[in-house]
Each structure stands twice: as structure tokens, then as C-alpha cells.
Amino acid sequence: MAEFRLIDAIVAVFDQLEAAPAVVLGPGDDAAILRVPAGTEVVASIDTLVAERHFPATALPQQIGYRALMVAASDLAAMAAEPGYATVALTLDTPDREWVCDLAAGIAEAAEVIGLPVVGGNLARGPLALTISVQGYVPVGTALRRDGGRPGDRVLVSGPLGGSAAAVRTGAVAATGASLSPVQRAYFRPLARLDLRTLLRGQASAGLDVSDGLLQDLDHLCRASAVGAEVRRSALPLTAGAQLEDALGASDDYELCFTVPAAVPDAPFLAAGCTVIGELTAALGIRLDGEPVAPETGYDHFVATGAAS
Amino acid sequence: MAEFRLIDAIVAVFDQLEAAPAVVLGPGDDAAILRVPAGTEVVASIDTLVAERHFPATALPQQIGYRALMVAASDLAAMAAEPGYATVALTLDTPDREWVCDLAAGIAEAAEVIGLPVVGGNLARGPLALTISVQGYVPVGTALRRDGGRPGDRVLVSGPLGGSAAAVRTGAVAATGASLSPVQRAYFRPLARLDLRTLLRGQASAGLDVSDGLLQDLDHLCRASAVGAEVRRSALPLTAGAQLEDALGASDDYELCFTVPAAVPDAPFLAAGCTVIGELTAALGIRLDGEPVAPETGYDHFVATGAAS
């Protein structure tokens, strides 16, 4: 019965979150039961983080858990959704109760920051990995998609980029303690930008989160919208300690990249800490200060090598 | 860009399913968008199957995929839910396009059988594992939970048990071809019993799916309902080729075990192929033909040894 005792200990960590009014029934049955707000659509996404591939297994379990939940929830932010709920599937080789409860505490902390109750999960024995399924809600027809960008729309990012990639590049992800440098913070304590959801809905024309590098993600947006983009290097906001290449390449900062039509004032976005970095163009492809660039410098899960990226 | 080409190939396999009317937006954006029926609650569950632990890696990828989707969806059946949608997270070491597309075809086939569109997913490099998140809908307040059983309720199972455990015990899961024996079929082609949902809602008092062995699962139901149970050995329906111990112990046949109050006629359940195997009792604990038994003979994910169980 080791499995069920461990599950009980994990569930206890999430107890407070399950008190959210939308949660009719939390963990313990075959499935959780949730209330869905009337007049909304559900948005749904799933993400896996594999040890030594997406995080160093030596990191503090709280940090691994915190980051995993934020990474998954970032896809809800990218749709401008209200947070709904999450389920967590954990695979691990050794059922070390303290380590697992610390991991759960990290997940729970992140979940509390963004108001996303963890309502169920699965525990399996195997190589260390975390898969998190997230659901959110949007008023019908208001989800922020990738395909609404038009030539002339401004391109914005929601915060500084490159910190996470710089942390990987410099090895700063390997050894962490309670006190984190700015690049370590970008890696281990990203914030799913759900705080921007009401600002984005009905105002932004397209958007996504920066999870594979700015150039590659912007290319995804441009292809979906059948447009190109012009980006100014000097406009890119960088995390302290990050270089331009960190931001353009394999960055997974989980900031949002979104576009705003000319008719929409950008003052509210600037006031929220967002930055205009360029414009969408009718000409396809991405240009940096007028020069065409290849988006393939971003992160590819099957081509990239090395741990923790 | 190997990752995105492989994702495109996988997404193409699911194309038809995404045409379901509830799917506003399928794969390709940060998240899928779904319509939720008015007046319903969402039920949500997540399951992971790890290679060599939950399935033999040498099995045909179609069979692995088919089983994985059914195993996950069985939790929706256990709540008497309408099928909603699924998201699939796949972790694999070698991005073999043919193998992955065959796996996806198996998932898609199972999804089509039960009407559960696969609307999104994640692809990561790492040890082979599949995590599937499933969501379903129930009219508000009608989900079948574990905690509604009362003394005197009859205990039923929805179909024959033990086939899956017998397939593992006899090594029949290791080598499979297009033609399957009954026990291989129980293992590789389980059916999530969503077909029973309207029969169960408002009629059954409690229920769950048999995923850890009948005794252990019935013990879960009894503990949640604060009752005991009396089961008759001779009443247990067995898969051809299975022994009684296969059914009682580590069986994961994904049939349902549920309870029906005395006031509810059992004829509709019997007509649907269900079998009465015993009754709930005020005395706690589970008894087989009057003899107390320990439920711990079921499957424990951290205590059990050996592959493919």
C-alpha cells in the first residue's frame, strides 16, 4: 500500500487549493469534478518535463515543481484564459516521501500564485518526469489565438527575455539554493502571465508564449497568421545577465509575445510592463533590423543536445 | 525542426476526430478550445503508462496506443460521464516516424470507438511513456462517485475479469500479432465502459473502474462509502483463460464495479451484461463467501515487481 500512503501525503499538500469554489470534488475518486462558468469555452493544454532534459534532477524539488506548474499554465496565459484547474502526473523511480512532498509543495505554491487548483493526479514508477494538464476558461469566442495577426500590428513581449537560456548556458541551473540570481530566477521562478488576460482579450490580435525561443515562437505566430515580422534588436528587453542571443534563441522565459492592431492604444500594455519590439509585415519571414533571419535557432526537442534546456 | 515535422505527422492521424462539433480549435495553437454543454460539470482525470512497467515496449505500437487511451478514458466511464476530450503527452527516445504514427493510430482508433476527440498533446524526448488527460461531462450533480454505497446495495461488475492479469501472468503480453487470444484481448483491447453511462446515472449509488484488482478497488469503494462488502466467488465472471486469483488480485480489466440500491431493479444492468457479485454490508471489510480477505493482494505501483502489469 506504499503507493496509496504516498498519494495521501501528496494530496494533503494540495488540500487548501481544492477548497476553490469551482472544485466540486478533488482527488480521491476516479476523476475530479469541476464547475465550469456559464458562457465560456474551455481551453486545454498538456506539458511534460523530463529530468535532465527539461530540468536538472539535482535541483531543489520545490523549484522543479514550481517551474513545471508555471510552464504548463503559461499555455493558458497564451490563450488569455481564466485559470481553471490542473491535474498532475508524476513518474518517479524512488518514492522518497520528503522529496515528493517538497515537489508537490513547489507545484502548490505556483498554483496558488496564479489561482489554478490542482484537482487530481497520477503516480507511476519510472524515470523521473512530470506531466501537467491545464484547463482554463474564456468567454465564448475570446481566446487569444495565433492566427489573428495582420500586417501593421505591433509586436510586443510581456517582459524581459533570455534569462532562462542564460541560466542554462552558464550552468547556473545546476547548483541552486534559497537565493537566486536573476537568470536562475528566470529559469526556476517563471510567471505564467495570466495577469494580462483581461488586457489581452478583445485587444490583442494574436499571441503565444515564448517557450522555444523568441524567433521560433514569433515564426509560429507569423505562419499561423500568414504574415511576416520586423523586429528591432535594440528594443528587446533582456533579463540582467542575458545576452541578445539568449533571447532570440532557445529562450523559454514564458513571457508572452503578442500583436496589437494599430487601432488599439498600447499605453495599457506599456503600463503593464510590456514592450513593443517590432511590427507584423505583409512580406513573409522574420527580419532583425531589416536582415532576414532563420527561426531554426530556437529550441528543438529532438535536435538539441545537452541536459536541462 | 524535426520535432515540428513529427508533430505534424501525428496531428494528421487525429484529423478526423478533431472534426467533432465540440472542438472549436484542435492542435496547433498553445491550447485547444472546446465547447462545454450547458448545465454540466466537468470530470477530469490523468493517467500515465510507462514502458516495461505498464506495457511491454515490444508490443505493437497500435496496441500500446489503443490500450493507453482506453485505460485513461475508463476513469470517465467510472464517473458515468459523457466523453469530452483528451490530450496526449508522449515521451520517447527515438523519434521513429512510423512507430509514432502507428501509436497515434491506435490512440485514434480507441478514441473513435468511444467518441473522445484527441485535441492536443505534447512531444518530449525521454524514456518511453504516455500520459493521457481526459475530460468528460455530467449533468450537474449526477457524477457516479465512490462514496454513495449503502449497506444492502448489490455489488455488480460490468463484464468478465482477470483476463488482463492472466495475460501478464502467462507472458501472453510479450508476443502479439494481429490475432489476439481472449486474455491478450482483455489486456490490449479493453473497452472503457462509457456505454453504461446513462444506465448508471441516477441509478447506481457508487462505482469505480477495476484498475488495481477487484478486491483492492472494491475496498476503495467500501472505505469511501464507510461500508463493507460480501462477495461470492462463484458469481465472479471470468475471462476465458483467467483464474479466480487473476480477477481478485492485480486485474486491470477496466470493467466497472458499482453498487445499486435495493429499490433499483437490476434487470437493465443484467440485460447490459452486468453481473451481481455480492452486497454491501454494514460490517466493514471485505468477505469472500463469508471469510475476511485482505485487499492488499491488488496492484501497488511501488511494491509490485516485474514488467508490464
Side-chain angles (χ1 to χ4, degrees), chain B residues 130-168:
Chain B
L130 261 166
T131 299
I132 302 185
S133 164
V134 292
Q135 331 286 316
Y137 308 113
V138 287
V140 173
T142 67
L144 182 61
R145 298 162 57 149
R146 297 179 174 187
D147 58 1
R150 298 292 170 260
D153 291 359
R154 282 150 295 165
V155 178
L156 292 88
V157 291
S158 61
L161 302 174
S164 178
V168 173

Side-chain angles (χ1 to χ4, degrees), chain A residues 84-98:
Chain A
Y85 61 91
T87 53
V88 177
L90 172 63
T91 306
L92 77 169
D93 265 319
T94 18
D96 180 311
R97 185 188 165 115
E98 190 183 341

Side-chain angles (χ1 to χ4, degrees), chain B residues 53-206:
Chain B
R53 181 102 198 145
H54 302 104
F55 62 85
T58 53
L60 297 178
Q62 292 95 324
Q63 294 173 338
I64 295 170
Y66 190 97
R67 180 167 188 269
L69 194 280
M70 284 296 186
V71 166
S74 179
D75 283 325
L76 299 181
M79 306 298 284
E82 302 294 317
Y85 62 91
T87 52
V88 177
L90 171 62
T91 306
L92 78 168
D93 265 321
T94 19
D96 179 312
R97 185 188 165 116
E98 191 183 341
W99 192 93
V100 171
C101 286
D102 284 348
L103 180 85
I107 295 172
E109 185 192 353
E112 187 143 22
V113 166
I114 56 172
L116 186 77
V118 176
V119 299
N122 189 78
L123 184 63
R125 190 158 194 166
L128 182 60
L130 261 166
T131 299
I132 302 185
S133 164
V134 292
Q135 331 286 316
Y137 308 113
V138 287
V140 173
T142 67
L144 182 61
R145 298 162 57 149
R146 297 179 174 187
D147 58 1
R150 298 292 170 260
D153 291 359
R154 282 150 295 165
V155 178
L156 292 88
V157 291
S158 61
L161 302 174
S164 178
V168 173
R169 177 174 53 80
T170 61
V173 294
T176 58
S179 161
L180 299 175
S181 71
V183 299
Q184 286 176 324
R185 206 173 161 75
Y187 185 88
F188 283 114
R189 306 281 293 188
L191 175 66
R193 298 305 305 272
L194 288 152
D195 55 304
L196 297 173
R197 61 192 186 262
T198 51
L199 213 52
L200 291 168
R201 286 205 295 262
Q203 301 292 312
S205 49

